[in-house]
Amino acid sequence: MAYPETLTVDDFEFTENTPGEEKVVATHTVDDDKLLMCDLDKPILLALTAKQTVTVSADSTETKSLDPEAPRVPFLPDPTEGEYGDQAFLVAYYDDDGDGSKDTVVTDSTAVKFDSFSGDEDFVRSVTLTETASSQTEVDIYTVVRAGYARVRRRSTGRDSTSDQLHREDAVRWAFTNPDVPEGNREINWDTSNSGINGVIGPEQHVDILYYDDHETLALPTEDTDTPSNLRIALPFSKRSLSETETAEGVRKRIRASMD
C-alpha cells in the first residue's frame, strides 16, 4: 500500500555548490526496502538561499544593495509588510548578546533594525538598517535566490550508475511559484512524463537537486552551519514497501532500463 511522502529539507544531505558548474547540492537516498513514485497531483516547492553580509557602524544607518535582489516569494512571510519571522523570504541575523553567534532576527524594533526596503512588486532591491546600541555590528542577510536554475533528477547506484531528469525550472520561477493560489496558475507540478516507471526511484537509489549559476554561491546547511531558516524543499511522492514478489535489485534494474 502506498502513502504520501513529501521530501523536505530534513530528508537531504547537502553539498556546497561551485559557481560556474552544475553540481548536486542535495541528495536523498531511498530506504533499502522502499520505493518512491512522483505524485503528479501535488505542487513542488523549491526555494534555495544565498547569504549577503553588511556591516553597520555604531549609531549609524547603512543601506545595502542586494546582489542578487530578493524575490518576493508569495508562499513565505513578507518582511516589507512587517512579517519579520525567521521564515521570511528575506531574513537578517546579528549577534545581540556578544556570544559570537548571529542568532537574533532583525526586526523594526531590535538594536539593529530595519528602517526601510526598496524595490518593486517582484523584488526587494535594497534594505536600510540602523544600529542603535552604539556597537558596530555585522549582519547576515539570507534571501531566496533568483539567479541560475535548479533541477531534480533520479539517479541509480553502482558502477553502472545513470540518471535522468524529473524536473527543471529557472530559480526565479521556483521562487515565484504559489501553491496557495491555484487559480493564479503559478503552481509547479512534476512533468507529466514522470508517470509510471519514469517517475519511480527504487531502493537505495537517489533523488538529487542540482543547481547552476555562473556566480552565485548558495547558503546551505553543512556540518558547521545551521539550516538557513528560509530554505524550502517540498518534493511530493508516494512511498511503498516492496511487494513479496519484488526484489530490490529487480526494481533497480527495471528503473535503470527506463532511464536509457
Side-chain angles (χ1 to χ4, degrees):
M1 178 177 179
Y3 55 90
E5 177 81 355
T6 297
L7 299 184
T8 64
V9 171
D10 293 338
D11 296 309
F12 287 85
E13 295 184 359
F14 292 87
T15 305
E16 294 180 355
N17 73 301
T18 301
E21 297 180 24
E22 184 189 57
K23 291 195 68 175
V24 175
V25 296
T27 295
H28 171 80
T29 302
V30 181
D31 296 337
D32 61 6
D33 61 346
K34 301 287 192 300
L35 58 81
L36 296 177
M37 300 165 284
C38 290
D39 188 338
L40 305 186
D41 295 326
K42 294 181 180 177
I44 313 170
L45 294 181
L46 181 59
L48 301 175
T49 49
K51 182 177 77 172
Q52 305 179 47
T53 300
V54 58
T55 299
V56 186
S57 299
D59 300 314
S60 70
T61 296
E62 183 77 24
T63 296
K64 167 68 173 175
S65 294
L66 299 178
D67 182 18
E69 302 152 337
R72 295 178 182 267
V73 181
F75 59 85
L76 295 178
D78 183 351
T80 70
E81 298 294 332
E83 299 169 351
Y84 295 113
D86 60 3
Q87 307 295 307
F89 66 74
L90 183 157
V91 58
Y93 294 90
Y94 74 104
D95 179 8
D96 186 57
D97 56 13
D99 66 354
S101 178
K102 296 175 187 171
D103 54 9
T104 298
V105 175
V106 176
T107 71
D108 60 356
S109 60
T110 44
V112 178
K113 65 179 183 177
F114 284 121
D115 264 351
S116 63
F117 303 84
S118 68
D120 56 31
E121 63 181 7
D122 292 322
F123 299 100
V124 176
R125 305 187 189 281
S126 69
V127 299
T128 299
L129 298 159
T130 295
E131 201 287 324
T132 64
S134 302
S135 177
Q136 178 171 293
T137 304
E138 188 175 83
V139 179
D140 289 341
I141 302 170
Y142 292 86
T143 64
V144 172
V145 297
R146 64 162 295 179
Y149 68 80
R151 66 186 184 98
V152 183
R153 74 177 183 187
R154 60 177 182 164
R155 175 168 54 90
S156 65
T157 57
R159 288 179 296 177
D160 59 345
S161 176
T162 187
S163 65
D164 64 358
Q165 179 171 288
L166 297 174
H167 202 90
R168 178 195 185 281
E169 299 285 354
D170 289 341
V172 70
R173 172 149 165 73
W174 285 115
F176 285 142
T177 183
N178 190 359
D180 297 327
V181 187
E183 65 272 17
N185 195 30
R186 287 173 67 172
E187 284 189 357
I188 294 176
N189 296 84
W190 293 118
D191 291 336
T192 56
S193 60
N194 294 323
S195 61
I197 190 66
N198 293 332
V200 177
I201 304 93
E204 297 182 299
Q205 294 183 329
H206 311 286
V207 178
D208 294 328
I209 298 172
L210 298 93
Y211 177 74
Y212 171 82
D213 184 61
D214 59 3
H215 69 280
E216 188 65 75
T217 299
L218 298 178
L220 298 169
T222 67
E223 292 182 359
D224 302 319
T225 60
D226 294 332
T227 300
S229 56
N230 50 5
L231 173 65
R232 287 289 182 278
I233 299 172
L235 305 183
F237 293 92
S238 294
K239 184 177 185 177
R240 70 166 175 84
S241 300
L242 299 182
S243 70
E244 293 181 357
T245 61
E246 292 174 320
T247 65
E249 181 52 39
V251 171
R252 289 194 291 266
K253 185 175 180 180
R254 288 174 56 213
I255 293 170
R256 284 196 297 268
S258 75
M259 294 180 180
D260 293 341

